[in-house]
């Protein structure tokens, strides 16, 4: 469908001139109005134009700028191009507030109008693309936000489960403490450091795993836990030092500080506290410290009153007062290798992200270049096809126009000789209408050929090629070229694909064959009986083969491998674009999942099209 344009202009002469230019530029005139009220009323209906050409000063003394504002207030998305014979600073300021798509200063030319319209259409299309992209990004952000919430909830559940496990472990350690032998045997078998400290933070027990760090367990008994931590790190995990910095500050779950001997939980629970531990082992001279993770839980002495106990899960959780606190038990696990791997993984991930960003930029750049090239080639191919079709229309109309001209002249003769009666008029009207209907059908056929297709449809190859031959028959007849079509059973030649694109491919190949024959005619190297183009259609297994051949001497061997390249042509300058065969190959092999190739056979060239066949629906 063509672009529709509404003209809002108080000068009838200017409006008429713009209307004529619009039609010449192959746009459709939506309507012509000369007042702001009429413009608003037209646009407010269900169907509105694609572009509005708005005069600044209108017949009903309204301003085109005010009309544009009222249209925008109705949330009608229509690009507006202003027209005016002059401007001032204040006028330009008002115009900018309505965000117009262009501005034309009277008097302007048809080319100025064409450029303004095309710029407005492309800007409007880009704005729609950006709006869709924005909506897509917002949707992705919402989805990712929901995923993050779910991840946080899952993590909280896991940590709660771990909390329960740590509590159970602490309670089990207390029970095992009553049996010193079993307790020590168990603790010595654990590869991680297991300890118990009193309410002041001094070791009352530590298992043999501490020897891996270069310490004697017996010497550490009675020493403060900070003995294991580098001096400069002690203040970073000390409750008294850290919490004073956060006084009166609200922190989220992830940002809250993790402390040794945690008390904010009410049970002095420490989870996932990462600290550096001093190393005294001579075998690890390359390291003076390592990274460890501490998990611990407070120990409370249960009172004799049953009212002090509430049950939760499989272990009794004691509801204690601070004076019942007797210390903590915990586990120290060496996570140095894990942290090194995590740091290495983060570095590799960042390098990979950087590589992906660079690769994505290069890929996007190449894709954009390829798309621009393909768009240019498609446009050139369409323009070339349109030129050929206009020539075909001229040939198709020549005969009926001659017949209509003779009929008009015959009216004058009939009037002079007194033959202008009702029977004569009826006969001439029927004859003229027959010619007009033929011309109208020709226009419909060519318009259907150029109609854009988005969806595939089922069509018969043989019938379609006959329609193509009919479309360009006048051009072929004018060149004294006949077409021989040979085909097998029509019912077995059905495919599902893009009809108009297939027709364009056949037309391109037939036009090339015609040009090759005419070139041989101009050189005096072809006889009249060889001015033939043969088309043979048959099906082999699940494929349909279409062979289009001529007798024009064939394609030189030194260029036959180049004829499907873009911009390659053997025609004289100005008579060929070099994109017809390239686009034909793209259509057949990329859009229709087939093959297109050329070869020489006998005294001419043969173009073969292979397409997948389907059964008749």
């Amino acid at each position: 469908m063509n672009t529709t344009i509404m003209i809002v202009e108080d000068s009838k002469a200017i409006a008429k001139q713009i209307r004529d230019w619009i039609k010449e530029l192959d746009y459709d005139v939506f309507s012509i109005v000369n007042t702001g009220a009429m413009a608003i009323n037209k646009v407010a209906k269900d169907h509105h134009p694609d572009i509005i050409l708005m005069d600044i000063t209108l017949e009903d003394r309204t301003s085109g700028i005010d009309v544009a504002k009222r249209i925008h207030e109705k949330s009608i998305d229509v690009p507006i191009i202003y027209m005016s014979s002059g401007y001032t600073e204040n006028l330009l300021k008002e115009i900018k507030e309505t965000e117009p798509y262009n501005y034309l200063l009277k008097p302007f030319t048809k080319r100025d109008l064409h450029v303004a319209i095309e710029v407005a259409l492309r800007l409007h299309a880009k704005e729609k693309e950006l709006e869709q992209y924005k909506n897509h990004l917002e949707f992705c952000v919402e989805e990712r936000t929901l995923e993050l919430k779910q991840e946080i909830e899952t993590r909280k559940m896991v940590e709660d489960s771990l909390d329960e496990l740590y509590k159970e472990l602490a309670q089990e350690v207390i029970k095992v403490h009553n049996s010193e032998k079993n307790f020590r045997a168990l603790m010595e078998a654990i590869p991680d450091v297991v300890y118990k400290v009193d309410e002041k933070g001094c070791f009352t027990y530590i298992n043999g795993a501490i020897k891996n760090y270069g310490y004697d367990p017996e010497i550490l008994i009675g020493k403060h836990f900070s003995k294991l931590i580098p001096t400069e790190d002690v203040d970073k995990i000390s409750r008294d030092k850290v919490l004073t910095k956060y006084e009166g500050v609200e922190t989220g779950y992830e940002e809250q500080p993790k402390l040794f001997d945690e008390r904010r939980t009410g049970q002095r629970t420490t989870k996932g506290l990462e600290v550096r531990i001093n190393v005294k082992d001579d075998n690890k001279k390359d390291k003076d410290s390592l990274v460890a993770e501490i998990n611990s839980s407070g120990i409370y002495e249960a009172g004799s009153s049953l009212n002090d106990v509430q049950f939760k899960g499989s272990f009794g959780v004691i509801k204690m007062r601070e004076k019942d606190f007797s210390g903590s038990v915990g586990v120290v696990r060496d996570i140095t290798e894990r942290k090194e791997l995590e740091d290495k993984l983060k570095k590799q991930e960042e390098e990979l992200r950087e590589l992906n960003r660079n690769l994505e930029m290069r890929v996007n750049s190449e894709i954009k270049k390829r798309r621009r090239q393909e768009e240019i080639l498609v446009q050139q191919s369409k323009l070339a096809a349109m030129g050929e079709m206009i020539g075909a229309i001229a040939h198709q109309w020549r005969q009926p126009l001659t017949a209509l001209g003779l009929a008009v002249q015959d009216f004058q003769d009939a009037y002079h000789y007194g033959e202008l009666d009702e029977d004569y008029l009826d006969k001439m009207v029927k004859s003229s209408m027959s010619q007009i209907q033929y011309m109208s059908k020709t226009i419909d056929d060519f318009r259907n050929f150029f109609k854009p297709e988005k969806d595939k449809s089922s069509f018969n190859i043989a019938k379609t090629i006959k329609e193509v031959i009919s479309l360009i028959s006048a051009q072929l007849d004018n060149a004294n070229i006949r077409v021989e079509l040979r085909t097998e059973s029509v019912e077995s030649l059905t495919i599902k694909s893009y009809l108009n694109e297939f027709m364009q491919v056949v037309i391109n190949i037939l036009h090339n064959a015609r040009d090759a024959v005419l070139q041989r005619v101009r050189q005096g190297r072809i006889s009249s009986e060889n001015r033939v183009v043969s088309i043979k259609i048959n099906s082999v297994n699940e494929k349909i083969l279409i062979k289009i051949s001529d007798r024009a001497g064939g394609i030189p061997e030194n260029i036959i491998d180049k004829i499907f390249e873009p911009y390659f042509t053997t025609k004289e300058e100005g008579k060929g674009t070099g994109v017809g065969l390239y686009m034909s190959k793209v259509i057949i092999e990329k859009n229709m999942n087939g093959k297109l190739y050329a070869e020489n056979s006998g005294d001419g060239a043969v173009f073969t099209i292979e397409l997948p066949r389907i059964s008749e629906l």
Side-chain angles (χ1 to χ4, degrees), residues 83-307:
M83 303 181 295
S84 176
S85 57
Y87 64 89
T88 63
E89 292 296 329
N90 290 335
L91 179 60
L92 287 177
K93 184 178 180 181
E94 290 185 40
I95 289 173
K96 288 180 180 178
E97 291 177 355
T98 61
E99 299 180 348
Y101 280 73
N102 220 318
Y103 181 89
L104 289 170
L105 186 63
K106 300 177 182 177
F108 50 85
T109 65
K110 180 171 74 171
R111 185 178 180 278
D112 295 334
L113 177 63
H114 190 198
V115 171
I117 292 173
E118 287 300 314
V119 169
L121 287 172
R122 294 184 184 182
L123 284 176
H124 190 241
K126 287 296 180 183
E127 286 179 354
K128 286 187 175 180
E129 289 180 9
L130 288 174
E131 182 65 24
Q132 292 176 353
Y133 184 65
K134 175 186 174 185
N135 293 337
H136 176 68
L137 285 179
E138 290 176 350
F139 174 76
C140 291
V141 169
E142 289 179 1
E143 278 198 337
R144 184 55 184 155
T145 302
L146 180 61
E147 290 175 0
L148 289 175
K149 288 182 179 178
Q150 292 175 344
E151 289 177 6
I152 291 172
E153 291 175 359
T154 302
R155 181 173 178 180
K156 185 65 170 61
M157 291 173 62
V158 172
E159 290 185 349
D160 288 343
S161 298
L162 289 175
D163 188 26
E164 291 296 326
L165 289 175
Y166 289 138
K167 292 175 184 177
E168 293 177 4
L169 175 61
Q171 294 296 328
E172 287 296 321
V173 170
I174 293 172
K175 293 178 181 179
V176 174
H177 183 66
N178 295 323
S179 177
E180 185 69 22
K181 184 177 180 179
N182 292 338
F183 169 76
R184 289 187 180 277
L186 174 63
M187 293 302 103
E188 294 302 323
I190 296 176
D192 296 330
V193 175
V194 180
Y195 67 89
K196 179 177 181 293
V197 294
D198 59 20
E199 67 275 11
K200 295 180 180 180
C202 297
F203 289 110
T204 60
Y205 170 79
I206 188 166
N207 71 343
I210 195 65
K211 294 178 182 179
N212 296 328
Y213 300 82
Y215 295 94
D216 186 340
E218 295 182 1
I219 295 177
L220 287 178
I221 300 300
K223 305 293 185 180
H224 196 272
F225 192 97
S226 59
K227 182 76 174 176
L228 302 179
I229 301 173
T231 305
E232 61 271 21
D233 291 352
V234 173
D235 289 348
K236 297 178 182 178
I237 59 173
S238 171
R239 176 179 180 275
D240 295 334
K241 296 288 186 180
V242 175
L243 289 187
T244 54
K245 299 178 183 179
Y246 288 87
E247 187 174 356
V249 178
E250 293 185 6
T251 63
Y253 180 78
E254 293 294 331
E255 288 75 20
Q256 64 181 358
K258 292 183 178 181
L259 307 172
F260 181 73
D261 188 21
E262 180 62 84
R263 301 184 189 184
R264 289 172 295 168
T265 62
Q267 296 175 341
R268 293 198 177 202
T269 300
T270 298
K271 296 187 295 182
L273 175 64
E274 294 182 4
V275 296
R276 287 195 302 156
I277 300 293
N278 287 324
V279 177
K280 296 176 64 178
D281 191 349
D282 292 337
N283 295 325
K284 299 182 179 180
K285 293 180 180 180
D286 58 327
K287 294 182 180 180
D288 57 0
S289 66
L290 51 81
V291 182
E293 181 182 78
I294 298 177
N295 294 286
S296 66
S297 182
I299 302 174
Y300 294 86
E301 297 295 337
S304 59
S305 173
L306 292 177
N307 293 329

Side-chain angles (χ1 to χ4, degrees), residues 383-424:
L383 291 174
M386 187 175 294
E388 294 283 358
M389 290 301 100
I390 290 174
I393 292 174
H395 284 292
Q396 295 282 61
W397 275 20
R398 185 168 295 162
Q399 181 177 348
L401 283 174
T402 301
L404 286 173
L406 292 174
V408 172
Q409 293 175 0
D410 195 63
F411 268 111
Q412 189 176 15
D413 293 340
Y415 175 77
H416 286 303
Y417 291 103
E419 298 174 356
L420 198 60
D421 55 14
E422 185 175 350
D423 291 339
Y424 176 84

